[in-house]
mmCIF file of all heavy atoms in Angstrom:
data_model
loop_
_atom_site.group_PDB
_atom_site.id
_atom_site.type_symbol
_atom_site.label_atom_id
_atom_site.label_comp_id
_atom_site.label_asym_id
_atom_site.label_seq_id
_atom_site.Cartn_x
_atom_site.Cartn_y
_atom_site.Cartn_z
ATOM 1 N N GLN A 516 14.313 20.971 -2.406
ATOM 2 C CA GLN A 516 14.107 22.149 -1.566
ATOM 3 C C GLN A 516 15.361 22.469 -0.754
ATOM 4 O O GLN A 516 15.542 23.612 -0.319
ATOM 5 C CB GLN A 516 12.915 21.923 -0.624
ATOM 6 C CG GLN A 516 11.575 21.965 -1.346
ATOM 7 C CD GLN A 516 10.388 21.740 -0.415
ATOM 8 O OE1 GLN A 516 10.451 20.902 0.483
ATOM 9 N NE2 GLN A 516 9.329 22.475 -0.615
ATOM 10 N N ILE A 522 14.690 27.633 -6.720
ATOM 11 C CA ILE A 522 13.803 28.729 -6.307
ATOM 12 C C ILE A 522 12.515 28.190 -5.731
ATOM 13 O O ILE A 522 11.938 28.737 -4.797
ATOM 14 C CB ILE A 522 13.514 29.641 -7.518
ATOM 15 C CG1 ILE A 522 14.808 30.240 -8.050
ATOM 16 C CG2 ILE A 522 12.510 30.732 -7.154
ATOM 17 C CD1 ILE A 522 14.655 30.893 -9.420
ATOM 18 N N ASN A 523 12.047 27.080 -6.292
ATOM 19 C CA ASN A 523 10.801 26.460 -5.831
ATOM 20 C C ASN A 523 10.779 25.008 -6.274
ATOM 21 O O ASN A 523 11.369 24.660 -7.309
ATOM 22 C CB ASN A 523 9.582 27.198 -6.415
ATOM 23 C CG ASN A 523 8.310 26.936 -5.635
ATOM 24 O OD1 ASN A 523 8.345 26.487 -4.496
ATOM 25 N ND2 ASN A 523 7.162 27.227 -6.243
ATOM 26 N N ASP A 642 5.385 20.569 0.773
ATOM 27 C CA ASP A 642 6.261 20.745 1.931
ATOM 28 C C ASP A 642 6.036 19.641 2.976
ATOM 29 O O ASP A 642 6.269 19.830 4.169
ATOM 30 C CB ASP A 642 6.032 22.111 2.606
ATOM 31 C CG ASP A 642 6.148 23.281 1.648
ATOM 32 O OD1 ASP A 642 6.930 23.188 0.679
ATOM 33 O OD2 ASP A 642 5.459 24.294 1.877
ATOM 34 N N LYS A 675 18.374 25.390 5.163
ATOM 35 C CA LYS A 675 16.994 25.855 5.220
ATOM 36 C C LYS A 675 16.317 25.615 3.885
ATOM 37 O O LYS A 675 16.721 26.165 2.869
ATOM 38 C CB LYS A 675 16.949 27.355 5.573
ATOM 39 C CG LYS A 675 15.535 27.881 5.762
ATOM 40 C CD LYS A 675 15.546 29.349 6.169
ATOM 41 C CE LYS A 675 14.134 29.859 6.367
ATOM 42 N NZ LYS A 675 14.138 31.298 6.760
ATOM 43 N N PRO A 676 15.271 24.793 3.838
ATOM 44 C CA PRO A 676 14.622 24.480 2.562
ATOM 45 C C PRO A 676 13.790 25.639 2.033
ATOM 46 O O PRO A 676 13.261 26.461 2.801
ATOM 47 C CB PRO A 676 13.722 23.286 2.914
ATOM 48 C CG PRO A 676 13.378 23.510 4.338
ATOM 49 C CD PRO A 676 14.625 24.071 4.969
ATOM 50 N N VAL A 677 13.674 25.718 0.713
ATOM 51 C CA VAL A 677 12.762 26.682 0.107
ATOM 52 C C VAL A 677 11.384 26.018 0.063
ATOM 53 O O VAL A 677 11.247 24.917 -0.449
ATOM 54 C CB VAL A 677 13.218 27.098 -1.299
ATOM 55 C CG1 VAL A 677 14.453 27.946 -1.223
ATOM 56 C CG2 VAL A 677 13.458 25.905 -2.194
ATOM 57 N N LEU A 678 10.382 26.643 0.629
ATOM 58 C CA LEU A 678 9.095 26.022 0.778
ATOM 59 C C LEU A 678 8.047 26.632 -0.151
ATOM 60 O O LEU A 678 8.068 27.835 -0.428
ATOM 61 C CB LEU A 678 8.608 26.137 2.235
ATOM 62 C CG LEU A 678 9.524 25.513 3.281
ATOM 63 C CD1 LEU A 678 8.957 25.718 4.682
ATOM 64 C CD2 LEU A 678 9.743 24.023 3.002
ATOM 65 N N VAL A 679 7.128 25.801 -0.602
ATOM 66 C CA VAL A 679 6.018 26.262 -1.418
ATOM 67 C C VAL A 679 5.170 27.248 -0.637
ATOM 68 O O VAL A 679 4.749 28.285 -1.151
ATOM 69 C CB VAL A 679 5.155 25.063 -1.880
ATOM 70 C CG1 VAL A 679 3.922 25.558 -2.659
ATOM 71 C CG2 VAL A 679 5.969 24.100 -2.725
ATOM 72 N N ALA A 680 4.948 26.943 0.621
ATOM 73 C CA ALA A 680 4.095 27.807 1.461
ATOM 74 C C ALA A 680 4.657 29.204 1.571
ATOM 75 O O ALA A 680 3.907 30.183 1.665
ATOM 76 C CB ALA A 680 3.958 27.194 2.850
ATOM 77 N N ALA A 681 5.971 29.331 1.562
ATOM 78 C CA ALA A 681 6.607 30.644 1.720
ATOM 79 C C ALA A 681 6.408 31.534 0.494
ATOM 80 O O ALA A 681 6.593 32.742 0.568
ATOM 81 C CB ALA A 681 8.087 30.477 2.004
ATOM 82 N N ARG A 682 6.017 30.945 -0.624
ATOM 83 C CA ARG A 682 5.869 31.709 -1.845
ATOM 84 C C ARG A 682 4.424 32.158 -2.081
ATOM 85 O O ARG A 682 4.123 32.779 -3.087
ATOM 86 C CB ARG A 682 6.330 30.876 -3.042
ATOM 87 C CG ARG A 682 7.815 30.499 -2.957
ATOM 88 C CD ARG A 682 8.278 29.776 -4.196
ATOM 89 N NE ARG A 682 8.118 30.584 -5.406
ATOM 90 C CZ ARG A 682 8.965 31.527 -5.789
ATOM 91 N NH1 ARG A 682 10.039 31.786 -5.079
ATOM 92 N NH2 ARG A 682 8.755 32.210 -6.889
ATOM 93 N N LYS A 683 3.539 31.823 -1.175
ATOM 94 C CA LYS A 683 2.128 32.196 -1.333
ATOM 95 C C LYS A 683 1.842 33.526 -0.647
ATOM 96 O O LYS A 683 2.541 33.934 0.265
ATOM 97 C CB LYS A 683 1.241 31.081 -0.783
ATOM 98 C CG LYS A 683 1.328 29.797 -1.580
ATOM 99 C CD LYS A 683 0.414 28.753 -1.023
ATOM 100 C CE LYS A 683 0.468 27.474 -1.843
ATOM 101 N NZ LYS A 683 -0.405 26.420 -1.297
#
Side-chain angles (χ1 to χ4, degrees):
Q516 287 180 320
I522 300 167
N523 200 18
D642 307 329
K675 184 177 181 181
V677 290
L678 301 179
V679 176
R682 298 185 60 81
K683 293 182 179 179

